[in-house]
Amino acid sequence: AAPPPPRKDHEAMTMPVTMQSCRPARLIPALCAIAGAAIYLLPISDSDGAAGIASRLASSLSPPSAPPSGTCSSTRGGPDGRWERDVPLADLAYYEPTYPAYNTSNPAHRPSPDDPEGTMHRKPTTYAWRDPPEVESRCARIAPLTAAAFCAEVRRLGIDRIVFVGDSIMFQQSYALVLQIGHDIPHKDPKTRRNSAGSWTSAYECPGDEDGGGGGQPVELQFLRNDFLIYGNMVTNSKSLPGKPVLKDWIGPYRLASSSARTLLVVNTGAHFKRGQKPSYEDVVMRFVADAGTKFGRPNDLVFWRTTPGGHPTCGTATEPFRTQEEYYESIRRPPKKRRGNVKAYGWGDFDARNDYAKEALGRYNSDVDASTAPTGPARIHVLDVVPMTNLRPDGHQASPDNLYPQKPTNDCLHYSMPGPIDWFNNLLFTNLADLPSLEEEEQESAAAAESSGALRTRQDRESSPSTTTN
């Protein structure tokens, strides 16, 4: 019994597509300029000395603390959430990948005669993320991405291009988005439908309004493969994986697309770095942060830095999510004997320190924005933190038991089968996008702020002027 095709009736969801606003305070675009590409030491805070910084970066094997309260985007998907089974939601969100490397799990799956409805899809696809009740009571719940929700957000935010830049996990995220909205990517060979997981570009058109009040909106979708996120004169000395990593030019296609009014840029790096490598992960982060504010030249773009989740050494036997973050970190500290080499070779224990460094650097950029300093930079570089959610998913990997394909990868505990946990990267992204103001709202807020500032200066000038009297 083959799985049913994806549903088209998006209104049949068991949860609302429309997401309530939970807007953070807006920051004015700018950058406290970083002088020189050779400056890589990041001041974390005025109260942190060298010992404090070392302590933070040494905490890679400890469960992350809860994100700061206040904004919904910094709270959703946090370490206190959990995965719950939701079979109806899985039926709604199901899609059939056409890229063979990530469709090995689905053809061999068969529903159980004892529970055909509950086992229609692979078990890893039947879990939905739930944040704590206190978060969901004030923030929109993370919702599965559909074509309707996708088009609603790109229209509202004025997005006409979405660019993903990163490694093979980012390829999976970009490919998942395409499938979630009922689209596909160009395949190099129409017979085998194979693709090298390299760069690709595809055109998608959101349909016009049903009442005829608006035409369709084209959106360019693009993935640019660059495992280290390096560009320009940056040269890597990496010797890992002969013939790799893939380092396609990404900065040129991103910056020079004159047809794009507003791009959603989603970037990531981190999984391929080795200790002693040049440029280091820290070098790449600081170069990106510096150039985003001074050289990219796209101030209206929405920029997201996606964090890097590690693999799961217990993926070969896992059939359900972890319940706590501590379970994940315990599996990294004491992996099964068969997987100890994976943890060491791929440096999964180092990923949290890298993510923390990136978040501190991006936080510094965001806190230093000033309109008069660097108006060419984005107003904010958002963090798409998928790590806490992904930590709890040892199931559903390419090497997991649900993948019944005879020639399945037996050692891949990093990449997921699709559909699966990777879809929730995009679910979180578009739920957080719904918190942001539209371009029109941003202009209204800027105009109101300028008017308020002008009125304040007029009043201050009047109060500071010497009073005159007539005899």
Side-chain angles (χ1 to χ4, degrees):
R7 288 186 182 175
K8 301 298 183 183
D9 53 333
H10 302 291
E11 299 301 321
M13 296 185 66
T14 57
M15 58 191 302
V17 172
T18 302
M19 307 164 189
Q20 70 191 60
S21 176
C22 177
R23 186 181 309 166
R26 296 300 294 161
L27 297 175
I28 303 172
L31 170 74
C32 182
I34 299 174
I39 300 178
Y40 302 123
L41 180 59
L42 178 67
I44 293 181
S45 74
D46 294 339
S47 60
D48 274 320
I53 296 174
S55 175
R56 289 197 189 191
L57 298 184
S59 63
S60 61
L61 294 185
S62 300
S65 57
S69 60
T71 64
C72 291
S73 60
S74 67
T75 308
R76 288 192 195 96
D80 294 328
R82 68 195 185 281
W83 292 96
E84 286 186 356
R85 287 208 73 190
D86 192 331
V87 175
L89 203 62
D91 189 35
L92 170 76
Y94 185 82
Y95 56 76
E96 190 71 31
T98 57
Y99 179 53
Y102 300 120
N103 194 32
T104 56
S105 302
N106 301 301
H109 175 77
R110 296 293 182 271
S112 168
D114 299 329
D115 183 16
E117 292 294 327
T119 60
M120 178 61 66
H121 306 298
R122 294 181 300 107
K123 189 177 179 181
T125 71
T126 64
Y127 290 96
W129 180 261
R130 300 304 304 268
D131 282 306
E134 61 271 19
V135 173
E136 292 190 352
S137 65
R138 66 183 181 86
C139 300
R141 176 182 165 184
I142 301 176
L145 181 63
T146 65
F150 172 87
C151 289
E153 285 308 309
V154 298
R155 285 182 187 281
R156 190 182 68 83
L157 295 171
I159 296 169
D160 65 358
R161 183 176 64 146
I162 300 178
V163 179
F164 294 89
V165 183
D167 57 19
S168 56
I169 299 295
M170 186 63 89
F171 168 80
Q172 279 200 289
Q173 182 180 352
S174 68
Y175 186 35
L177 179 137
V178 165
L179 295 171
Q180 285 173 294
I181 62 176
H183 194 49
D184 204 349
I185 63 173
H187 294 272
K188 290 189 174 180
D189 188 333
K191 293 182 179 179
T192 62
R193 300 186 72 80
R194 285 188 174 275
N195 189 289
S196 65
S199 302
W200 56 263
T201 302
S202 184
Y204 180 79
E205 183 159 344
C206 288
D209 298 340
E210 292 183 1
D211 59 5
Q217 175 170 337
V219 183
E220 182 180 87
L221 306 173
Q222 189 172 42
F223 168 69
L224 300 171
R225 178 75 183 265
N226 192 302
D227 294 347
F228 294 145
L229 203 62
I230 64 175
Y231 55 93
N233 60 358
M234 302 178 80
V235 179
T236 180
N237 66 351
S238 172
K239 302 298 182 183
S240 64
L241 302 175
K244 295 184 178 180
V246 181
L247 299 172
K248 302 281 187 181
D249 175 39
W250 70 270
I251 194 68
Y254 166 63
R255 288 181 58 196
L256 302 178
S258 58
S259 61
S260 175
R262 194 178 212 190
T263 294
L264 169 60
L265 174 67
V266 186
V267 303
N268 166 265
T269 191
H272 289 274
F273 282 86
K274 305 294 183 183
R275 295 179 183 179
Q277 180 176 321
K278 293 296 180 182
S280 67
Y281 177 82
E282 292 78 10
D283 296 343
V284 171
V285 170
M286 294 307 294
R287 171 74 175 267
F288 179 86
V289 170
D291 287 355
T294 59
K295 296 181 180 179
F296 286 1
R298 303 189 59 87
N300 289 327
D301 285 356
L302 297 170
V303 180
F304 281 77
W305 180 287
R306 200 206 75 215
T307 54
T308 305
H312 294 84
T314 59
C315 91
T317 57
T319 58
E320 58 186 24
F322 286 139
R323 291 167 295 180
T324 66
Q325 298 290 324
E326 180 57 34
E327 288 184 77
Y328 169 73
Y329 288 100
E330 180 65 16
S331 76
I332 294 292
R333 287 190 291 263
R334 296 179 176 84
K337 185 176 181 179
K338 182 181 178 181
R339 304 290 182 185
R340 289 174 188 169
N342 296 51
V343 176
K344 183 177 181 181
Y346 302 129
W348 292 341
D350 298 331
F351 285 13
D352 274 0
R354 293 173 188 163
N355 290 325
D356 287 345
Y357 188 94
K359 286 188 279 190
E360 295 289 352
L362 301 176
R364 178 68 58 174
Y365 173 95
N366 292 334
S367 65
D368 285 345
V369 290
D370 181 332
S372 63
T373 305
T376 59
R380 186 176 186 84
I381 302 177
H382 305 269
V383 176
L384 182 66
D385 193 0
V386 301
V387 168
M389 291 196 305
T390 315
N391 281 353
L392 301 188
R393 297 307 301 269
D395 59 317
H397 283 282
Q398 289 280 287
S400 294
D402 72 284
N403 189 345
L404 302 176
Y405 186 65
Q407 284 80 44
K408 75 174 183 180
T410 58
N411 204 39
D412 193 343
C413 286
L414 181 66
H415 297 88
Y416 284 101
S417 298
M418 296 170 67
I422 204 80
D423 302 333
W424 290 83
F425 292 14
N426 295 322
N427 297 344
L428 177 61
L429 171 63
F430 273 79
T431 304
N432 285 348
L433 280 173
D435 294 340
L436 302 180
S438 65
L439 277 174
E440 182 180 352
E441 290 171 326
E442 285 183 346
E443 291 170 359
Q444 292 173 352
E445 289 179 3
S446 297
E451 183 178 351
S452 174
S453 177
L456 178 61
R457 284 196 301 270
T458 300
R459 188 179 68 185
Q460 290 174 337
D461 291 344
R462 187 183 303 117
E463 291 175 350
S464 61
S465 298
S467 57
T468 57
T469 58
T470 1
N471 294 327

